[in-house]
Amino acid sequence: MIKKVLVANRGEIACRVFRTARAMGIRTVAVYSEADAKALHVFEADESVALGGSEPSESYLSIDKILAAAAATGADAIHPGYGFLSERAEFADACGKAGITFIGPSAAAMRRLGAKTDAKQLAFENQVPIVPGLYDPNATTEELKHAALKIGYPVMLKASAGGGGRGMRAVRDPEHFDDELRIASDEALKAFGDGTMMVEKLVDRPRHVEVQIIADSHGNVAPLFERECSLQRRHQKVVEEATCPIPNFGESIWPRMREAAVKLIKAAGYTGAGTVEFIVDEKTGEFFFLEVNARLQVEHPVTEMITGLDLVEWQLRVAASERLVFDPRLIAGDRAAIQGHAVEARIVAEDPGMGFLPSVGKIIAWQTPMVPGVRVDTGYGPNAEIPRFYDSLVAKVIAHGSTRSGAIDKLRSALLDFHVLGIKTNIAYLLDVLDSVSFRSGAFDTGTLGREFAEWTPGAVPPELGDIIEAAVTVSPVGGSTKAVAQGAWAISDGFRNAR
């Protein structure tokens, strides 16, 4: 049994793991950089260890420092969270050599699935549908160009390593192929240290649908239904939901997608939580394998809402060699076990009115919603500092309802009650997305936000919100007197951001 777990991460995912570990009676260890010395996750753990500099390379990406912290505190397990070292096979190997349990798949399984080219080859060998393309990591530029002509334009260039939309370029005309390939390869090299590219058929207006799985070391794989992740801005997910709102998805697509996901996970010898990602051609009902994220996903709470499971708990149990022992319908992927609908919105410290530039600084005031059926996962709070070194995610707001429309309404209400003073956020943007006809009807794809919200700008601040800001404005002594930080709604120099 695991007795003490170190979380090699920060922010909301570290706090999330600590919450479950405490409930299971497992002691916890936080690690932190100089920028995070006063961060919430540091205070939520039983123990904490400083790693060093604020740059990720000096702290959260240092395998040696993290293993030293585990040794110093007697941690017998490490949870990598997501991002940073979570999908690095060498980190899983290093944990094993140090006698520490890695809360995730084996290094061997990561290597089978880590590079998109290798993962697609494994999918092909196991009759899992893949998009027509060339996935040879040794392919030359001429071979990629020839493959593009054979596949037929439009095509998509993709980096073999990494993700998050980096190293991806759509090419609709052969004469632009060389330029787009150079741009995509350079971007991939800078982001992942690997400029290897692949080319595949571009599915117009696809849906991005992923299957959450949890697999134990005894051969059991539970496909815990799908998540709809098509609402993306510049390839970054904005709103996710479970289940997928494509009409008749459960009857026409799910049985085949469930079978494909389970087959691939078993072929890889995968254990723990993971996500098998697909793109769906809604017109034809076809779906194609994209990749496997060998870790817990940011959007995992929507799955927890509709299944009643704690995925972090099962990560810990599987790492301790336990079997999956919960509702057999969930293990079988039987949709009769689905409990309602869940929607998640990501609140980020960015300024939509200024091209979504990052917003850093101190949170002066903070109020999260208190709505039944709503969950808020965050690593911040009053007086917290948003550093410039890391991801801009501030919080995730997740709403659950008996119906999709009920869950959306509940999420909208919660966002209206989420108040942050001192930084800018995307809450107003999220509210307009939730209110859009495309989203409400379920008729959207991965390009919807790019088409419909390309010219989006924040609206006017309602008078009642101005009153709230006036009441919340802090005052500070200046030469023995007080001076207001701001005089009117939205005029705060620190950049108050809220919804309209």
Side-chain angles (χ1 to χ4, degrees):
M1 292 296 295
I2 294 170
K3 296 180 180 179
K4 183 183 287 189
V5 61
L6 180 149
V7 177
N9 218 297
R10 63 180 300 279
E12 65 90 11
I13 186 57
C15 294
R16 165 72 189 88
V17 175
F18 293 153
R19 185 167 66 243
T20 290
R22 282 196 303 270
M24 296 175 69
I26 298 172
R27 291 187 61 79
T28 57
V29 180
V31 291
Y32 61 94
S33 67
E34 288 179 1
D36 279 339
K38 296 182 180 180
L40 182 62
H41 76 277
V42 177
F43 297 99
E44 289 211 348
D46 295 310
E47 301 173 63
S48 61
V49 178
L51 294 177
S54 298
E55 293 291 346
S57 60
E58 301 172 333
S59 50
Y60 300 109
L61 289 176
S62 174
I63 293 175
D64 290 343
K65 288 182 179 180
I66 288 170
L67 291 179
T73 57
D76 56 350
I78 291 179
H79 193 299
Y82 52 72
F84 292 135
L85 296 170
S86 62
E87 293 182 273
R88 296 271 287 272
E90 62 269 32
F91 184 43
D93 272 336
C95 288
K97 291 177 182 177
I100 297 170
T101 299
F102 178 77
I103 311 297
S106 67
M110 280 193 197
R111 291 190 173 98
R112 291 188 192 103
L113 300 169
K116 292 186 180 73
T117 50
D118 295 338
K120 286 182 185 289
Q121 180 61 35
L122 185 64
F124 176 78
E125 292 170 357
N126 287 276
Q127 293 81 53
V128 174
I130 61 173
V131 179
L134 178 61
Y135 306 111
D136 182 356
N138 300 311
T140 65
T141 296
E142 288 304 313
E143 287 172 332
L144 289 170
K145 289 173 71 173
H146 178 73
L149 286 171
K150 185 177 180 180
I151 294 164
Y153 284 84
V155 297
M156 177 68 83
L157 291 166
K158 287 186 176 181
S160 176
R166 296 179 179 86
M168 290 176 59
R169 306 288 292 189
V171 189
R172 298 185 178 275
D173 192 312
E175 69 181 44
H176 298 142
F177 188 91
D178 288 337
D179 288 341
E180 298 292 0
L181 177 63
R182 185 184 66 256
I183 293 170
S185 182
D186 287 348
E187 187 177 56
L189 186 61
K190 291 175 183 176
F192 314 118
D194 183 351
T196 304
M197 300 300 296
M198 58 188 190
V199 63
E200 63 185 28
K201 180 67 179 176
L202 176 64
V203 178
D204 272 321
R205 302 203 170 187
R207 302 288 283 251
H208 184 152
V209 180
E210 59 190 29
V211 177
Q212 173 69 59
I213 62 91
I214 186 83
D216 64 23
S217 57
H218 305 281
N220 301 302
V221 179
L224 298 174
F225 313 111
E226 77 282 357
R227 294 189 289 257
E228 167 66 78
C229 302
S230 299
L231 280 180
Q232 301 175 10
R233 182 186 167 274
R234 297 181 182 174
H235 305 294
Q236 298 294 320
K237 298 169 186 175
V238 174
V239 176
E240 302 102 340
E241 58 184 305
T243 52
C244 177
I246 293 176
N248 301 314
F249 180 93
E251 296 76 27
S252 63
I253 298 177
W254 172 245
R256 293 178 288 130
M257 186 176 284
R258 171 187 62 195
E259 180 183 1
V262 171
K263 188 184 296 184
L264 185 63
I265 289 300
K266 286 186 174 182
Y270 191 100
T271 57
T275 304
V276 186
E277 303 202 0
F278 299 93
I279 59 171
V280 177
D281 187 334
E282 190 175 352
K283 294 179 181 177
T284 65
E286 294 179 289
F287 62 87
F288 305 100
F289 169 71
L290 274 179
E291 62 181 330
V292 172
N293 280 298
R295 54 176 170 79
L296 199 65
Q297 291 278 84
V298 177
E299 59 271 23
H300 76 273
V302 293
T303 297
E304 294 182 323
M305 289 281 203
I306 67 161
T307 61
L309 297 177
D310 182 327
L311 292 178
V312 174
E313 175 186 351
W314 281 103
Q315 281 188 296
L316 293 165
R317 291 190 181 281
V318 165
S321 299
E322 292 188 29
R323 292 178 180 270
L324 300 181
V325 284
F326 44 75
D327 189 335
R329 297 177 303 170
L330 293 176
I331 295 177
D334 182 351
R335 299 182 79 81
I338 295 173
Q339 303 169 26
H341 198 93
V343 189
E344 173 181 300
R346 302 188 188 194
I347 297 177
V348 294
E350 296 175 0
D351 182 3
M354 293 294 289
F356 290 86
L357 288 173
S359 178
V360 300
K362 188 174 183 179
I363 295 174
I364 299 171
W366 169 278
Q367 179 61 58
T368 56
M370 302 290 287
V371 181
V374 169
R375 163 177 161 183
V376 177
D377 283 11
T378 186
Y380 295 100
N383 301 314
E385 190 85 18
I386 304 291
R388 63 179 177 84
F389 304 97
Y390 316 115
D391 186 89
S392 61
L393 183 65
V394 172
K396 304 180 312 195
V397 182
I398 312 100
H400 181 260
S402 58
T403 64
R404 181 174 185 265
S405 61
I408 294 171
D409 289 342
K410 195 173 291 185
L411 178 58
R412 188 181 190 283
S413 177
L415 291 176
L416 285 167
D417 282 341
F418 201 121
H419 302 286
V420 186
L421 185 65
I423 60 166
K424 298 176 184 292
T425 76
N426 65 331
I427 294 178
Y429 179 83
L430 291 171
L431 281 159
D432 281 353
V433 170
L434 295 184
D435 285 341
S436 67
V437 173
S438 297
F439 179 64
R440 287 282 178 166
S441 66
F444 54 87
D445 56 71
T446 56
T448 294
L449 295 185
R451 293 191 304 271
E452 298 184 8
F453 285 78
E455 304 300 323
W456 183 91
T457 56
V461 184
E464 62 272 20
L465 187 55
D467 293 339
I468 293 173
I469 297 174
E470 288 286 351
V473 165
T474 59
V475 292
S476 57
V478 179
S481 62
T482 61
K483 179 180 178 181
V485 176
Q487 281 70 48
W490 227 260
I492 299 173
S493 59
D494 299 83
F496 176 78
R497 251 346 238 154
N498 207 308
R500 61 181 174 88

